[in-house]
């Protein structure tokens, strides 16, 4: 029971972390990346509403305080005028006006002091109002003027307090706005950074499987190494592509095994009857079974020639099979003079009527000796087979821009431009007859191309002014030395 619950929990966790389709992943990443931006927008709207509310409150306060101050200024002027009129006229009507003015001033003062909340000037005004309330009993004009002047000074001081209060509220509002701006800037930076981080995380969930697909394709192209296991946490479409690539790899391996096995078995099985035929020809040519007449010797000669041709074909086939199985070249410093000399010695009989002009301008080359020797053998063999009889063959090895260049040129019929594109494909033979009357396999130039490719180089047909046909092989040197 406990094991079943644990298994259900594990499978549920795997479902939680398993990614959906590529579309779901893209939309999900987009929505998740929008969450910090939505939070930033909500905070901006909240701050904007707070600023509007703060501005409204402060504006009402300023308008209210200024209005009350103006009312107090008007009340103090009316109070002073009415009291001075009473001091001159001493009538009950003027006294009634003075009392009303005093009441209005007291009310204006109380309203302003309630809003302003400055107890000191308001206390002074209360004391001065008590003095002025006895204006009927004051007969000394100088004393009355002193009371009025003191009240005007207090009102002026209160006016300054109003200005200070307004300035304090403005400073406080400015400080709040500055703090809000700083908070907004910090929140913007943090939320935008989080959003960018989420975008990078979402894109990485797509980029990583794509990188893995590129790695698999590179391994398939280079035929090196084992394929990584199939991903379990990737979009379904990319997992499907990865599974198809694994299937393709298995299929290519099967085809490669079939091809190499076919070449190996075909070459090996052909050599067994070929050896018997060669042995029989040898016995016949040695007159072991009796003396041969002229016609029989002619037939034996044709049979021996055909046997030799078949042997050459089998050797080429084995050579091509071995080349295809070689996956990694072994680079060493080689002497080009020795490589060329060994090659020309092997072709001494074929070259006895030819002049081979050799020009080697470098002491060492950084190559795989076996592969480079095959390039030399096949290019020289091709020049002998297709070059004009009795005309020289040029072999040049030199360096240019950290690259060793091999040129093998011969005189003869030029290669048509439409034939160059397929010249280095396997089992493609030219239409022109060979000088040695041997049926070619169409593998010589393809072996040259494959050997150059294994050494990260290339082969091409180039135009030169001293020959009709020139094959140029370029092998980079700097890359290998690193």
């Amino acid at each position: 029971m406990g094991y079943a619950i644990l298994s259900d929990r594990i499978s549920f966790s795997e479902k939680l972390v398993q990614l959906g389709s590529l579309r779901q992943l893209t939309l999900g990443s987009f929505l998740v990346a929008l969450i910090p931006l939505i939070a930033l927008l909500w905070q901006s709207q909240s701050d904007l509403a707070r600023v509007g509310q703060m501005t409204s409150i402060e504006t009402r306060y300023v308008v209210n305080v200024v209005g009350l101050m103006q009312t107090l200024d008007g009340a103090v002027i009316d109070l002073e005028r009415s009291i001075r009129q009473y001091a001159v006229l001493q009538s009950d009507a003027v006294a009634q006006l003075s009392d009303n003015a005093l009441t209005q001033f007291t009310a204006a003062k109380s309203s302003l002091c309630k809003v302003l909340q400055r107890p000191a000037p308001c206390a002074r005004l209360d004391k001065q109002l008590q003095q002025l309330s006895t204006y009927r009993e004051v007969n000394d004009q100088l004393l009355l003027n002193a009371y009025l002047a003191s009240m005007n000074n207090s009102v002026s001081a209160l006016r300054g307090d109003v200005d200070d209060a307004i300035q304090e509220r403005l400073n406080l509002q400015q400080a709040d706005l500055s703090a809000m701006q700083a908070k907004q800037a910090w929140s913007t930076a943090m939320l935008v950074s989080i959003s960018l981080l989420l975008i990078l995380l979402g894109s990485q969930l797509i980029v990583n499987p794509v990188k893995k697909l590129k790695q698999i394709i590179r391994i398939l192209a280079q035929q090196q190494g084992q394929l990584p296991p199939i991903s379990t946490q990737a979009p379904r479409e990319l997992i499907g592509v990865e599974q198809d690539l694994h299937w393709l790899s298995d299929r290519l391996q099967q085809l490669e095994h079939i091809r190499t096995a076919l070449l190996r078995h075909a070459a090996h099985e052909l050599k067994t009857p070929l050896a018997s035929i060669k042995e029989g020809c040898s016995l016949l040519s040695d007159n072991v079974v009796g003396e041969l007449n002229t016609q029989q010797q002619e037939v034996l000669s044709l049979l021996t020639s055909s046997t030799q041709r078949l042997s050459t074909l089998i050797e080429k086939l084995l050579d091509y099979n071995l080349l295809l199985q070689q996956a990694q070249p072994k680079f060493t410093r080689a002497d080009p003079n020795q490589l060329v000399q060994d090659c020309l010695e092997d072709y001494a009989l074929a070259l006895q009527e030819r002049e081979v002009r050799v020009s080697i301008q470098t002491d060492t080359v950084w190559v795989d000796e076996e592969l480079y020797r095959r390039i030399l053998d096949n290019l020289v063999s091709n020049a002998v087979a297709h070059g004009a009889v009795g005309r020289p063959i040029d072999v040049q090895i030199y360096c240019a821009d950290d690259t060793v260049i091999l040129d093998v040129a011969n005189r003869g019929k030029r290669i048509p431009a439409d034939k160059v594109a397929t010249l280095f494909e396997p089992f493609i033979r030219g239409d022109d007859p060979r000088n040695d009357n041997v049926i070619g396999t169409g593998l010589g130039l393809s072996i040259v191309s494959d050997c150059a490719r294994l050494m990260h180089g290339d082969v091409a047909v180039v135009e030169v002014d001293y020959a009709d046909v020139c094959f140029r092989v370029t092998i980079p040197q700097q890359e290998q030395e690193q």
Side-chain angles (χ1 to χ4, degrees), residues 338-352:
Q338 188 64 40
L339 291 176
V340 173
Q341 182 179 354
D342 294 341
C343 176
L344 296 180
E345 287 180 358
D346 292 342
Y347 287 88
L349 294 178
L351 296 173
Q352 60 185 356

Side-chain angles (χ1 to χ4, degrees), residues 17 21 48 50 61 69 95 100 193 293 479:
V17 300
S21 65
L48 185 62
R50 181 182 173 187
Y61 174 79
M69 190 66 223
N100 291 335
S193 300
N293 57 32
E479 177 184 356

Side-chain angles (χ1 to χ4, degrees), residues 396 407 409-410 414 462-472:
Q396 299 184 33
D407 287 347
N410 61 271
R414 293 181 179 271
V462 297
E463 294 287 340
V464 293
D465 56 358
Y466 58 87
D468 299 318
V469 178
C470 179
F471 289 92
R472 176 167 294 172

Side-chain angles (χ1 to χ4, degrees), residues 308-442:
Q308 185 62 36
R309 253 195 332 270
L310 183 59
S311 177
T312 302
L313 293 176
I314 294 174
E315 290 177 359
K316 288 288 185 181
L317 194 61
L318 289 173
D319 188 50
Y320 187 64
N321 187 31
L322 181 61
L323 173 65
L324 292 176
Q325 293 178 350
Q326 182 171 356
Q328 193 65 247
K330 297 180 181 180
F331 290 92
T332 57
R333 291 192 179 276
D335 183 3
N337 291 281
Q338 188 64 40
L339 291 176
V340 173
Q341 182 179 354
D342 294 341
C343 176
L344 296 180
E345 287 180 358
D346 292 342
Y347 287 88
L349 294 178
L351 296 173
Q352 60 185 356
E353 297 180 356
R354 305 286 185 94
E355 176 189 0
V356 180
R357 298 183 296 197
V358 179
S359 174
I360 300 177
Q361 302 175 10
T362 178
D363 295 334
T364 59
V365 291
W366 187 264
V367 294
D368 184 301
E369 290 192 23
E370 180 65 23
L371 296 178
Y372 205 72
R373 174 61 188 276
R374 289 181 183 176
I375 292 175
L376 284 170
D377 288 344
N378 284 280
L379 288 182
V380 171
S381 174
N382 184 78
V384 171
H386 297 282
V389 179
R391 301 296 302 278
I393 298 174
D394 293 278
V395 178
Q396 299 184 33
I397 299 179
Y398 56 96
C399 290
D401 298 330
D402 297 323
T403 301
V404 61
I405 300 175
L406 166 64
D407 287 347
V408 178
N410 61 271
R411 281 75 178 167
K413 188 176 180 180
R414 293 181 179 271
I415 301 175
D418 57 341
K419 299 292 185 180
V420 175
T422 60
L423 193 61
F424 299 100
E425 295 182 5
F427 305 106
I428 300 297
R429 294 180 296 180
D431 299 330
D432 298 331
R434 295 169 58 97
N435 297 329
D436 51 6
N437 294 324
V438 176
I439 301 177
T441 61

Side-chain angles (χ1 to χ4, degrees), residues 30 37 60 78 85 117 146 168 174 188 205 213 215 235 286-287 325 330 336 408 417 420 443-444 453:
F30 179 73
L37 299 180
R60 287 198 300 267
D78 292 341
Q85 288 177 356
Q117 295 182 354
E168 288 178 1
Q174 185 64 35
T188 301
L205 293 176
L213 292 178
Q215 179 186 1
D286 293 340
N287 296 322
Q325 293 178 350
K330 297 180 181 180
V408 178
V420 175
L443 292 176
R453 177 181 51 81

Side-chain angles (χ1 to χ4, degrees), residues 61 65 116 118 160-170:
Y61 174 79
V65 170
L116 190 61
R118 296 292 178 97
D161 291 339
V162 169
D163 294 338
D164 293 341
I166 293 175
Q167 188 62 40
E168 288 178 1
R169 295 294 291 265
L170 291 177

